[in-house]
């Protein structure tokens, strides 16, 4: 089935609507005559209608930073698509407003990243979808566009042919009403309903009983809540494939079979009444590594992982790539090796580091979910869904692990989907808040700073762990909007306290790996500080050491920007992560926060104490400030003080407090601490 993106690209020259194609670097790679005519008519800059001119550079020159950011979010698949109003200067000094629709032009069979921009002058808004509709009316696939309630808002001519209906009779109806009431439709509805909030596209097989046709159905959830549905006849698709090279049956990046080939293998085992297991393999933290090492290295990592997994393939085992960083392995059950033994063989493939360019290497773990035919389900779609659910359970370990599917896991999967939906739609703002935990200097007894800790009281699930919702926000691409929301609340409160109390306390804010490597986040961060009148010396950003990072030009540029502005930089959870020494040599670090793991060993574990002393001496030798996290016992504080660490954070002094309580306790009056008792003056 030819992808919608490929269809769009072929149709661009003939579209009547002005279209422009831009790659990940901002270079203009394709345009149509309608765009050139529009540029000439509106007297727009020639830089906008010359191939290989940089569209991003032009927008930045006319101060369109937010517009560039949105386009890049579509390129990076953080958004499915987007729409914005752009004002462009004309040669005569006037300004013209355009409605711009941006959609991804990523092909599943190439690493090339491009977006298609559709321009509509606002005085001609009614024509904004003419180009897209003209394409959809002439494609060989049936097409539905449905709203968030699955009511049909558009169909093309092919749908009328496939379902022997007229569009007038089905537009406005629910998709599930338009399709006949059969067991197959009910199964399709249930399967897609459980996965509809996933950010990826989903493809299903569906047998249409009235016409006795086997159909391929692709669901693509859009950022505005609509869903695009592409339908093709499986027989026609297969016939077309017979005339195509064998390459169309494999993933071009890895050479592994596509999901359709995996289905064929599973169906063949079904027909032979053979039992089999389906393994869903996901690479942990691939998104962060992809951003930090660049996309070429990300592709190299995917290819190397595919090569290792394919070493398992044989007459009774097929290995394929599903999408992105996910692989599927289907294995016929045999008496020679148990599922547990085979799972360990998959896990072993990730025990060695992966080589990247310039002799760099990276360790990556895998989460493996397992479902079994026929004990878990006789439906292949269900088996993939169940294995993916089990994979999500394995992922909670944050290291290579596998889990067998159990029906009780479905409740956990629904929980994750609900949290993800709320994050994507911004339905958390009324229940999202932050707390502040004081940091105490025991030499003076005074408060030396505080750490901001995000909290979410979910209406259904109650208080959520930050580890849970931040990870889901990272995976769903919602972390940036969530962080902006937190910063606005924090900066607004600091601004108020500055006016009331002359605020001068250092405030520590955690920054996740994806934001740390973002080319735009820190500029926005600093602009927001300026907007609220926040002094740079009041802010400290914390880099967590629980996720592997490595040197990258973008991270270094971001941290140097912070350093230049006077924002200090701290390593959180120091001593427990992957590359603590590398951090100190590669990045401009001002403070080290020693993880509570080492603090808890004081007085109980001589080795932990020895390592703790070594860490303190290391920090001193390179001129870094020190802070001990999780200090809960007087014995811990005394040991740390005796070895030169005098700034503490932990329940020995105080728990995280909501802003109003923090204000009453620490700002409305001075509070001093000693290791023996608390003193208020």
């Amino acid at each position: 089935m030819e992808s919608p993106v490929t269809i769009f690209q072929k149709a661009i020259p003939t579209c009547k609507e002005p279209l422009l194609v831009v790659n990940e670097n901002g270079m203009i790679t394709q345009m149509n005559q309608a765009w050139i005519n529009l540029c000439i008519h509106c007297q727009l800059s020639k830089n906008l209608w010359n191939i290989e001119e940089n569209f991003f550079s032009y927008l930045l020159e006319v101060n369109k930073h937010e517009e560039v950011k949105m386009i890049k979010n579509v390129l990076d698949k953080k958004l499915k698509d987007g729409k914005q109003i752009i004002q462009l200067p004309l040669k005569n000094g006037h300004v013209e407003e355009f409605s711009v629709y941006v959609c991804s032009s990523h092909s599943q069979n190439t690493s090339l990243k491009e977006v298609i921009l559709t321009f509509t002058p606002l005085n001609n808004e009614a024509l904004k979808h003419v180009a897209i509709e003209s394409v959809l009316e002439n494609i060989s696939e049936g097409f539905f566009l449905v709203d968030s309630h699955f009511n049909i808002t558009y169909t093309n001519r092919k749908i009328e042919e496939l379902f022997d209906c007229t569009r007038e009779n089905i537009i406005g109806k629910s998709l599930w009403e338009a399709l006949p009431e059969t067991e197959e439709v009910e199964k399709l509805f249930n399967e897609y309903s459980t996965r509809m909030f996933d950010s990826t596209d989903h493809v299903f097989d569906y047998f249409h009983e009235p016409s006795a046709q086997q159909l391929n159905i692709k669901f693509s959830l859009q950022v505005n809540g609509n869903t695009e549905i592409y339908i093709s006849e499986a027989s026609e698709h297969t016939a077309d494939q017979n005339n195509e090279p064998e390459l169309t049956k494999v993933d071009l990046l890895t050479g592994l079979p596509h999901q359709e080939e995996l289905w064929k293998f599973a169906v063949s085992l079904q027909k032979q009444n053979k039992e089999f297991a389906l393994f869903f393999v996901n690479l942990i933290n691939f998104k962060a590594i992809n951003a930090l090492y660049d996309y070429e290295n990300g592709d190299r990592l995917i290819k190397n992982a595919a090569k290792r997994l394919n070493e398992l393939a044989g007459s009774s085992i097929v290995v394929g790539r599903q999408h992105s960083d996910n692989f599927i392995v289907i294995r016929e059950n045999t008496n020679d090796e148990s599922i547990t033994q085979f799972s360990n063989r998959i896990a072993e493939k990730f025990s060695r580091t992966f080589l990247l360019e310039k002799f760099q290497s990276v360790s990556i773990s895998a989460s493996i979910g397992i479902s079994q035919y026929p004990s878990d389900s006789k439906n292949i779609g269900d088996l993939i869904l169940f294995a993916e659910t089990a994979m999500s359970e394995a992922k909670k370990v944050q290291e290579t692990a596998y889990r067998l599917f159990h029906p009780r896991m479905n409740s956990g999967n629904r929980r994750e989907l609900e949290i993800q939906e709320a994050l994507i739609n911004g339905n958390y703002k009324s229940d999202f808040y932050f707390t502040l935990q004081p940091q105490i200097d025991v030499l003076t007894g005074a408060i030396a700073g505080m750490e901001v800790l995000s909290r979410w009281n979910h209406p259904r699930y109650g208080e959520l762990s930050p580890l849970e919702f931040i990870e889901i926000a990272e995976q769903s691409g919602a972390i940036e909007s969530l962080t902006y929301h937190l910063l606005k609340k924090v900066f607004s409160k600091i601004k108020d306290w500055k006016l009331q109390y002359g605020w001068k306390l250092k405030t520590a804010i955690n920054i996740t790996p994806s934001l740390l490597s973002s080319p735009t986040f820190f500029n926005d961060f600093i602009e927001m500080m300026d907007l609220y009148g926040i002094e740079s010396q009041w802010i400290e950003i914390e880099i967590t050491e629980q996720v592997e990072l490595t040197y990258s030009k973008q991270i270094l540029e971001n941290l140097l920007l912070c350093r230049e502005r006077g924002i200090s930089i701290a390593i959180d959870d120091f001593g427990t992560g992957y590359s603590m020494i590398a951090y100190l040599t590669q990045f401009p670090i001002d403070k080290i926060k020693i993880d509570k793991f080492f603090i808890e060993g004081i007085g109980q574990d001589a080795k932990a104490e020895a390592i703790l002393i070594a860490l303190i001496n290391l920090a001193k030798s390179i001129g870094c400030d020190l802070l001990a996290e999780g200090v809960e016992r007087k014995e811990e504080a005394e040991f740390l003080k005796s070895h030169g660490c005098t700034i503490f954070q932990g329940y020995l002094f105080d728990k995280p407090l909501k802003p109003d309580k923090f204000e009453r306790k620490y700002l409305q009056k001075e509070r001093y601490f000693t290791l023996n008792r608390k003193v208020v003056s």
Side-chain angles (χ1 to χ4, degrees), residues 383-394:
L383 292 173
I384 294 175
L385 175 62
F386 294 162
E388 186 174 4
T389 299
M391 179 276 294
S392 297
E393 287 293 311

Side-chain angles (χ1 to χ4, degrees), residues 318-335:
V318 171
V319 178
R321 184 184 181 202
Q322 196 203 27
H323 59 76
S324 185
D325 53 352
N326 296 317
F327 298 88
I328 288 179
V329 181
I330 298 178
R331 171 186 172 272
E332 178 187 346
N333 291 351
T334 65
N335 295 326

Side-chain angles (χ1 to χ4, degrees), residues 544-578:
T544 180
E545 210 197 344
Q546 294 300 324
V547 178
E548 182 176 7
L549 301 177
T550 189
Y551 173 84
S552 79
K553 183 179 178 182
Q554 187 63 62
I555 291 178
L556 184 59
E557 286 178 357
N558 288 337
L559 295 182
L560 288 175
L561 174 63
C562 292
R563 171 67 68 83
E564 289 169 7
R565 288 296 299 260
I567 300 169
S568 61
I569 302 161
I571 299 181
D572 198 13
D573 306 320
F574 185 75
T576 61
Y578 295 91

